[in-house]
Amino acid sequence: EMLGFASQITTNTAVMARMISDLLDYTRTRLGAGMPVSVASMDLDRLCRELFDEFRTAHPGRVIRYQSEGRQMGEWDTDRLRQAISNLLGNAVQHGDENAPIDLVLAGDSSDVLVTIRNGGSPIPPGELPRIFEPLVRGSSAENPKHNRPGSIGLGLYIAREVARSHGGGIDVTSSQEAGTAFTMYL
């Protein structure tokens, strides 16, 4: 029983740390400081593979697929990109149809790299699309508590966008009943 308590405390601590970290990032960017990044040579394919394995292990009931074209080496901030891609994958798990696959696709060359996360399920209502990256804005499905991830305070997409911007890129989103919802981060 003590082991159960210890495990719960560890989980709660990780959740709290993520919330605090998200709030600090939010505050920094809102104060105009921008997202602090520390770039170094890194392999984006390896990072995506690690996140793919982590999410597959954490969500064994979901079909999560990974596709990569070539080796993606570049000068980026590994921790920030891990945070951004993890936020986008978490978003897909949270809002996507449980029976539809989630695809993580890495494509491009050394000058332009695209990371796309696609999920099936109900499309994002067109009226919500323009506001989806705004801080502390939650989509209509956020009213359904079963979907909310522990430690999620509505900053995940905002932070992902700021990380992309801090690397000279951005994020686009498309959403339709037929094609599903796709977030594409370009670096």
Side-chain angles (χ1 to χ4, degrees):
E1 198 170 297
M2 282 305 282
L3 207 59
F5 282 135
S7 168
Q8 191 58 53
I9 289 168
T10 303
T11 303
N12 290 346
T13 304
V15 166
M16 295 279 294
R18 188 163 72 236
M19 288 169 67
I20 291 165
S21 169
D22 282 356
L23 280 169
L24 287 171
D25 287 339
Y26 168 67
T27 306
R28 257 189 225 114
T29 55
R30 295 306 268 191
L31 292 172
M35 183 71 69
V37 291
S38 149
V39 301
S41 184
M42 65 164 284
D43 181 347
L44 191 53
D45 174 56
R46 193 160 87 202
L47 173 63
C48 286
R49 245 170 239 289
E50 284 172 15
L51 285 166
F52 164 65
D53 287 336
E54 280 172 30
F55 272 81
R56 247 186 358 180
T57 303
H59 305 281
R62 302 294 288 270
V63 176
I64 303 176
R65 305 181 294 202
Y66 177 54
Q67 185 187 332
S68 169
E69 293 169 20
R71 289 182 61 71
Q72 313 289 352
M73 298 297 295
E75 298 284 321
W76 301 300
D77 184 322
T78 306
D79 292 339
R80 287 296 183 191
L81 289 185
R82 173 183 295 280
Q83 183 183 21
I85 297 166
S86 179
N87 284 357
L88 293 172
L89 281 168
N91 190 66
V93 167
Q94 186 178 344
H95 297 290
D97 183 327
E98 288 173 15
N99 301 312
I102 294 169
D103 286 302
L104 170 59
V105 181
L106 178 58
D109 51 44
S110 54
S111 61
D112 274 317
V113 174
L114 303 178
V115 181
T116 302
I117 289 99
R118 180 178 289 106
N119 62 268
S122 304
I124 300 165
E128 287 181 21
L129 270 180
R131 294 173 33 240
I132 198 146
F133 294 103
E134 290 309 305
L136 310 174
V137 166
R138 291 173 156 246
S140 50
S141 72
E143 285 146 32
N144 180 345
K146 94 171 174 65
H147 283 302
N148 287 341
R149 288 203 317 286
S152 166
I153 48 176
L155 288 173
L157 293 178
Y158 171 76
I159 286 170
R161 181 187 68 183
E162 292 301 312
V163 167
R165 284 180 171 173
S166 70
H167 285 82
I171 293 187
D172 292 326
V173 59
T174 59
S175 192
S176 70
Q177 193 67 54
E178 308 74 48
T181 297
F183 285 89
T184 300
M185 180 167 71
Y186 49 95
L187 304 169

